[in-house]
Amino acid sequence: MPIKTLLAILFFVTLTLPVDKAKKKDRPNIIFIVADDLGYSDIGAYGGEIKTPSLDLMAQNGIRLSNMYNAGMCVISRSSMLTGRWWPNTGYGIENGNNMAQELKTLGYKTGLVGKWHLNGEPNNKGFDYFFGFLGGYSSYFEGSKDYRLNKTPFNDFGNTYYSTDAFTDHAIDFTRKVKKTDDQPFFLFLSYQAPHNPLQAPKEDIMAYRGNYLKGWKAIRETRIKNQIKFGIIEADTPLPKFPKNLPDWESLSAEQKDLEDLRMSVYAAMVERMDNGIGRLMKALEENGQAENTLILFMSDNGTDSFSVMDKEMLKRGLLPGDKGSNYQPGTGWAYSSVGPNRLYKISQHNGGVKTGAILYWPKGIEKTNTIQNEPLHVVDVFPTFLELANPTKNTIHITTDFAGQSFISILHGKKFKRKLPLYFQFMDNRAIRTKKWSLVEIDGSGWELYDAVNDPLETNDLSKSFPKKVIELEVDWLNWWKNESGETTHIPESTKNNPHYKPQGDRGTGNLYVPSAMPDELKSNYQKKP
């Protein structure tokens, strides 16, 4: 029997004994909120200018996990966060092993998934009692798609007022209210918003509230956000900052028409984020009304950094469609991705910080001892499952023997205690990869060769030391390759290039990435989203 298959069979050896009812009542409800392609600095609590009062309030009354890593891409991040394992081990889309819903269900939790799935199979066959959303990677916010499901039944009730972010919030609230009627049963809700993943679509009134705010340009927005991050204590004032990307034109070199469309592009993105935040606020209000708020833990994060691509612009303009329109499919593009991931370098699918860092928030009124704090110990999405599992096991009456977790529980953070994660952390997607230790970060973009950074003195990866410390590069490379072989079962690593991929392109900021050429607003369309004087 292959080793990987054997590990999958042995992943959970679970013996469940009766749980004391008094202790059972103490177990928290768990809501795991995942935004899609949200940048590190987009929300107010992490420096952004986008209006996110609900998430900001969670941060003020919770803990900001400022050094949380993901895997840099939707599918592999979700594979790791739901299994607690490195994605090459569990497989692309979870090919083997149980997920957190399956395990929490055995512990008596009512389980629900609302929003995006983007993994193998269907949620109702993977431990979720309830599912509303779509199975694939993205869908129209206004018109849905053929892969929408209400549990296992195809769903196509997309009326004129349908907007997926609102619908996901409505179904999440409905799920929590129905569970309340079940005596003593805690719930686990995976609220998997699509926002702000493409297509960039939002109600026009929301878009117009931001129109004109981004005419100051990518660099100015990023710099303002970084100033806020320094003020908040997210980064130190003397931290070296990355240089302006070589493949991004200076804002002042753009034509008025290019600036206009770029402003619209980011206005739609901001409107999508604010709409999601409004939904989170509605959910929190419902928890208060249900009497569930005090003992509900909420963990918020993004599955990867901002999308830097814009592969459909020409086709959209050819069809007479702008960002925000029904039927359009725009992406943020390199310029706004540069702003959104600040202070970090690079973007979605990259394994540099900009691709794999998320501004996470932990919130639990009953369980967090010291609120409005920032915890900067390195964490990874593989740590989420072990943490939730420990929260769901308040007594020793339930014994769980796990053989294959890559992550570890960070529950001690809730109690104000120090948490030291075992390092290194490992990363890989296509021709991008990394290994991070306490002292060093070894990273590669576009298959262009290793870059080495001092993780202590240069956390934003600005000064490449690979030529100064060649032996350290070799040492860390050997470690990374051994990890890859052990986790994937492959004998070597053969990277898949982004050069000829229909979805991705080389995006390196020091010479390997494709130059970003902003699209221009056509004269015949400029009045569609023109702000009145």
Side-chain angles (χ1 to χ4, degrees):
M1 179 181 294
I3 293 294
K4 204 168 182 180
T5 303
L6 182 60
L7 285 174
I9 294 171
L10 295 177
F11 178 49
F12 282 108
V13 180
T14 305
L15 172 62
T16 303
L17 299 175
V19 180
D20 181 89
K21 284 190 175 182
K23 292 291 185 181
K24 187 176 179 181
K25 286 184 178 181
D26 291 337
R27 297 188 297 171
N29 302 309
I30 299 171
I31 300 179
F32 187 23
I33 304 177
V34 176
D36 202 347
D37 293 4
L38 184 76
Y40 185 85
S41 66
D42 281 330
I43 67 174
Y46 277 88
E49 73 294 329
I50 301 173
K51 296 175 182 176
T52 56
S54 302
L55 288 168
D56 298 347
L57 185 63
M58 281 176 52
Q60 290 169 17
N61 295 288
I63 302 171
R64 275 172 282 188
L65 307 175
S66 64
N67 211 7
M68 172 69 79
Y69 287 95
N70 51 51
M73 184 269 179
C74 305
V75 176
I76 61 174
S77 284
R78 291 160 198 271
S79 298
S80 285
M81 66 176 58
L82 289 181
T83 64
R85 298 157 64 195
W86 301 120
W87 84 262
N89 182 291
T90 192
Y92 187 86
I94 308 182
E95 296 171 349
N96 59 78
N98 284 349
N99 66 49
M100 63 173 68
Q102 290 168 314
E103 182 66 4
L104 291 174
K105 188 173 181 178
T106 67
L107 295 171
Y109 274 70
K110 187 77 172 178
T111 58
L113 166 59
V114 175
K116 172 176 171 174
W117 176 234
H118 210 190
L119 296 168
N120 298 333
E122 295 199 17
N124 293 119
N125 297 329
K126 299 289 184 175
F128 288 98
D129 299 311
Y130 176 82
F131 171 58
F132 174 77
F134 58 94
L135 300 174
Y138 71 95
S139 176
S140 168
Y141 286 78
F142 294 114
E143 301 169 309
S145 52
K146 292 181 180 179
D147 62 344
Y148 257 79
R149 300 287 185 273
L150 178 55
N151 293 315
K152 293 186 178 183
T153 304
F155 178 88
N156 58 13
D157 187 14
F158 308 111
N160 293 332
T161 61
Y162 185 85
Y163 187 68
S164 61
T165 302
D166 295 345
F168 295 156
T169 299
D170 292 341
H171 281 264
I173 291 171
D174 188 55
F175 172 79
T176 63
R177 284 176 174 163
K178 287 181 177 177
V179 172
K180 185 179 184 299
K181 297 176 182 178
T182 305
D183 186 39
D184 290 341
Q185 186 174 25
F187 67 79
F188 165 63
L189 171 63
F190 181 22
L191 179 50
S192 178
Y193 282 112
Q194 182 184 354
H197 192 290
N198 67 292
L200 297 184
Q201 297 175 345
K204 187 172 182 178
E205 63 272 19
D206 294 358
I207 298 169
M208 297 310 294
Y210 285 94
R211 198 72 164 99
N213 290 5
Y214 294 101
L215 288 174
K216 59 191 69 165
W218 311 304
K219 189 176 181 181
I221 294 295
R222 178 181 168 104
E223 288 175 348
T224 300
R225 291 182 175 193
I226 291 173
K227 287 179 182 178
N228 288 335
Q229 291 169 340
I230 292 171
K231 181 173 67 176
F232 297 163
I234 293 171
I235 62 172
E236 298 294 332
D238 59 351
T239 303
L241 299 176
K243 293 180 180 179
F244 191 77
K246 290 183 177 180
N247 61 329
L248 183 61
D250 184 81
W251 180 260
E252 293 308 318
S253 72
L254 273 57
S255 68
E257 291 77 15
Q258 287 176 310
K259 290 179 180 178
D260 190 21
L261 195 140
E262 285 297 306
D263 174 76
L264 175 59
R265 191 192 300 268
M266 187 59 190
S267 295
V268 179
Y269 181 97
M272 296 166 72
V273 174
E274 182 178 352
R275 195 82 171 202
M276 176 182 67
D277 182 83
N278 289 343
I280 293 170
R282 289 201 291 124
L283 174 60
M284 293 176 71
K285 183 179 179 181
L287 294 173
E288 290 280 357
E289 293 171 349
N290 297 343
Q292 299 167 315
E294 187 69 14
N295 198 28
T296 296
L297 178 140
I298 302 175
L299 176 60
F300 172 85
M301 66 172 62
S302 177
D303 60 352
N304 47 253
T306 310
D307 183 357
S308 70
F309 304 109
S310 55
V311 299
M312 293 293 291
D313 279 26
K314 289 183 179 179
E315 180 62 27
M316 292 299 103
L317 292 174
K318 183 179 177 181
R319 298 181 192 179
L321 295 171
L322 291 174
D325 289 348
K326 285 185 180 181
S328 67
N329 187 9
Y330 283 86
Q331 297 160 274
T334 305
W336 296 122
Y338 170 68
S339 296
S340 290
V341 302
N344 301 301
R345 280 181 59 209
L346 298 172
Y347 326 103
K348 175 180 178 177
I349 82 167
S350 161
Q351 305 298 291
H352 282 68
N353 281 339
V356 295
K357 272 281 192 76
T358 173
I361 299 171
L362 189 62
Y363 174 82
W364 184 16
K366 184 178 179 179
I368 294 177
E369 294 191 11
K370 189 176 181 180
T371 62
N372 198 20
T373 59
I374 297 174
Q375 205 288 135
N376 59 10
E377 182 67 21
L379 300 170
H380 193 282
V381 293
V382 293
D383 301 326
V384 174
F385 189 178
T387 303
F388 287 175
L389 193 61
E390 185 172 353
L391 287 166
N393 279 312
T395 75
K396 300 299 181 181
N397 290 348
T398 304
I399 303 167
H400 289 263
I401 304 166
T402 61
T403 62
D404 208 22
F405 272 147
Q408 62 190 85
S409 171
F410 54 82
I411 197 170
S412 60
I413 291 173
L414 294 166
H415 307 304
K417 298 177 181 178
K418 288 186 178 181
F419 170 79
K420 292 294 181 183
R421 199 199 185 286
K422 296 176 183 177
L423 299 171
L425 297 175
Y426 301 93
F427 306 82
Q428 188 277 337
F429 183 68
M430 298 185 72
D431 52 3
N432 307 302
R433 53 181 177 160
I435 174 174
R436 290 178 168 88
T437 69
K438 185 176 181 180
K439 172 65 178 172
W440 300 101
S441 293
L442 187 71
V443 290
E444 181 178 34
I445 179 74
D446 301 332
S448 60
W450 287 114
E451 302 167 13
L452 181 68
Y453 298 100
D454 182 333
V456 177
N457 299 307
D458 184 23
L460 301 182
E461 303 168 340
T462 68
N463 183 27
D464 181 9
L465 300 174
S466 58
K467 292 182 180 178
S468 300
F469 298 94
K471 290 183 179 179
K472 180 57 66 175
V473 171
I474 294 172
E475 174 191 328
L476 292 172
E477 180 179 36
V478 169
D479 191 340
W480 185 91
L481 188 58
N482 286 335
W483 166 81
W484 173 258
K485 291 177 180 178
N486 291 335
E487 298 295 328
S488 69
E490 298 180 7
T491 56
T492 188
H493 175 247
I494 303 175
E496 178 187 355
S497 175
T498 55
K499 290 181 179 178
N500 300 313
N501 190 283
H503 305 293
Y504 311 120
K505 302 298 177 187
Q507 57 178 351
D509 58 357
R510 296 182 175 177
T512 62
N514 290 4
L515 179 67
Y516 181 59
V517 181
S519 301
M521 176 71 75
D523 287 341
E524 65 273 18
L525 298 178
K526 65 181 181 181
S527 64
N528 292 8
Y529 291 92
Q530 201 164 41
K531 204 160 189 177
K532 295 179 181 179

